[in-house]
Amino acid sequence: MQDQKNQLKDRGICVVIPVYNNEKSIRDVVMRSLAQCDDVIVVNDGSTDSTGEILHSIDHITIVEYPDNRNKGKGHALRCGFRKAMQLGFQYAITLDGDGQHYPEDIHLFLEANIEHPGSIIVGKRKDLQNASRSKGSSFANKFANFWFMVQTLTKLDDTQSGFRLYPLHKLYGLSLISARYEAELELLVLPRWHGVKIFTTEVNVYYPPQEERVSHFRPAADFTRISVLNTILCILAIVYALPLAILRTIWRLICKILKK
């Protein structure tokens, strides 16, 4: 395991965990992450339960908190975590959720994928997702996001809603424009893809606790409304911004190829 930790450090990879009111799971998630990687950043997104106290009782982690201690959404938490990671000199961040859905033991899969595809975004495709015990809203949201991601980027991705990812921090274009809440993770794929950042997947394990034990912050009406508005904006930008950018990139490549001859 120490070899893995050394490799992660050598490649400038840290772990970023956004958390909001996950007092039952956060200690386990953080401790298991520390067993895999020495550099763990946890963003407390205005938790009102004992999450903050639990985090401060854990040694050897970096905690990011807000001065006003207000919940500002996963997108905002990720943005703060990424900025902190860059301030600390990291090149990449592996993100995973604080609710125990993701297995920190799969971090090695992202390391292997990063070695094979440096500079790319790696998305953890959740195993056997179609047979998992999920709400209809969650299942529909994933299919909905997958469809619009393909429309906006002409790239097929089977699990755009997975929060278990590796990001090249200096290729997160428009970081200051990222949405504050749930829909931000779609932007974090679309904007870099428009700028030529490649996206690969690695298959990861996923745990869905019994329905009565789940802590979900997904609000169907509000979140679907924001996602619909975001997709409308992204579709317009795909036509007026991303398409011309792709054409210019293609022309530049042709010019470079001609000049090399």
Side-chain angles (χ1 to χ4, degrees), residues 51-151:
T51 293
E53 297 172 19
I54 293 170
L55 292 177
H56 282 283
S57 72
I58 301 174
D59 294 329
H60 310 301
I61 63 172
T62 299
I63 302 172
V64 177
E65 295 178 301
Y66 312 145
D68 57 3
N69 198 39
R70 287 176 53 205
N71 173 247
K72 300 182 181 180
K74 189 175 184 181
H76 184 85
L78 287 171
R79 184 163 64 228
C80 291
F82 294 154
R83 286 176 173 162
K84 186 64 176 181
M86 286 189 281
Q87 289 173 7
L88 294 174
F90 291 103
Q91 301 299 311
Y92 299 93
I94 295 174
T95 61
L96 59 103
D97 294 342
D99 59 3
Q101 179 188 130
H102 304 134
Y103 286 73
E105 292 77 16
D106 284 341
I107 284 174
H108 72 96
L109 298 173
F110 292 88
L111 172 61
E112 293 164 9
N114 174 254
I115 292 172
E116 186 176 356
H117 307 291
S120 301
I121 292 175
I122 311 298
V123 176
K125 178 183 175 183
R126 292 167 287 182
K127 289 181 181 178
D128 203 25
L129 195 60
Q130 65 275 13
N131 296 321
S133 175
R134 296 190 298 160
S135 68
K136 291 183 179 179
S138 174
S139 179
F140 175 77
N142 197 46
K143 293 177 181 177
F144 187 75
N146 292 348
F147 171 77
W148 285 111
F149 178 76
M150 185 167 63
V151 169

Side-chain angles (χ1 to χ4, degrees), residues 38-259:
D38 285 333
D39 302 296
V40 176
I41 299 170
V42 186
V43 184
N44 183 6
D45 186 24
S47 296
T48 56
D49 60 4
S50 63
T51 293
E53 297 172 19
I54 293 170
L55 292 177
H56 282 283
S57 72
I58 301 174
D59 294 329
H60 310 301
I61 63 172
T62 299
I63 302 172
V64 177
E65 295 178 301
Y66 312 145
D68 57 3
N69 198 39
R70 287 176 53 205
N71 173 247
K72 300 182 181 180
K74 189 175 184 181
H76 184 85
L78 287 171
R79 184 163 64 228
C80 291
F82 294 154
R83 286 176 173 162
K84 186 64 176 181
M86 286 189 281
Q87 289 173 7
L88 294 174
F90 291 103
Q91 301 299 311
Y92 299 93
I94 295 174
T95 61
L96 59 103
D97 294 342
D99 59 3
Q101 179 188 130
H102 304 134
Y103 286 73
E105 292 77 16
D106 284 341
I107 284 174
H108 72 96
L109 298 173
F110 292 88
L111 172 61
E112 293 164 9
N114 174 254
I115 292 172
E116 186 176 356
H117 307 291
S120 301
I121 292 175
I122 311 298
V123 176
K125 178 183 175 183
R126 292 167 287 182
K127 289 181 181 178
D128 203 25
L129 195 60
Q130 65 275 13
N131 296 321
S133 175
R134 296 190 298 160
S135 68
K136 291 183 179 179
S138 174
S139 179
F140 175 77
N142 197 46
K143 293 177 181 177
F144 187 75
N146 292 348
F147 171 77
W148 285 111
F149 178 76
M150 185 167 63
V151 169
Q152 292 152 5
T153 66
L154 302 180
T155 302
K156 188 176 185 299
L157 197 60
D158 292 330
D159 194 4
T160 56
Q161 293 297 289
S162 172
F164 206 173
R165 303 176 179 178
L166 179 146
Y167 293 100
L169 293 171
H170 296 285
K171 293 186 178 182
L172 293 180
Y173 296 90
L175 189 58
S176 60
L177 303 177
I178 298 299
S179 303
R181 296 195 176 274
Y182 172 83
E183 66 276 13
E185 287 179 310
L186 178 61
E187 281 186 82
L188 284 166
L189 295 178
V190 172
L191 298 182
R193 187 70 196 100
W194 282 350
H195 287 83
V197 179
K198 294 182 179 179
I199 301 175
F200 295 92
T201 61
T202 186
E203 200 168 59
V204 298
N205 295 293
V206 62
Y207 171 67
Y208 283 104
Q211 195 70 38
E212 62 275 9
E213 296 179 16
R214 294 181 190 177
V215 178
S216 176
H217 306 300
F218 181 72
R219 297 171 295 176
D223 287 335
F224 275 130
T225 298
R226 284 201 306 272
I227 290 170
S228 296
V229 172
L230 173 63
N231 278 313
T232 300
I233 294 171
L234 289 177
C235 284
I236 294 172
L237 289 176
I239 296 171
V240 302
Y241 175 72
L243 182 59
L245 184 64
I247 293 172
L248 287 174
R249 191 183 296 117
T250 301
I251 293 173
W252 178 247
R253 286 173 182 166
L254 289 173
I255 292 173
C256 291
K257 190 176 292 185
I258 291 171
L259 291 175

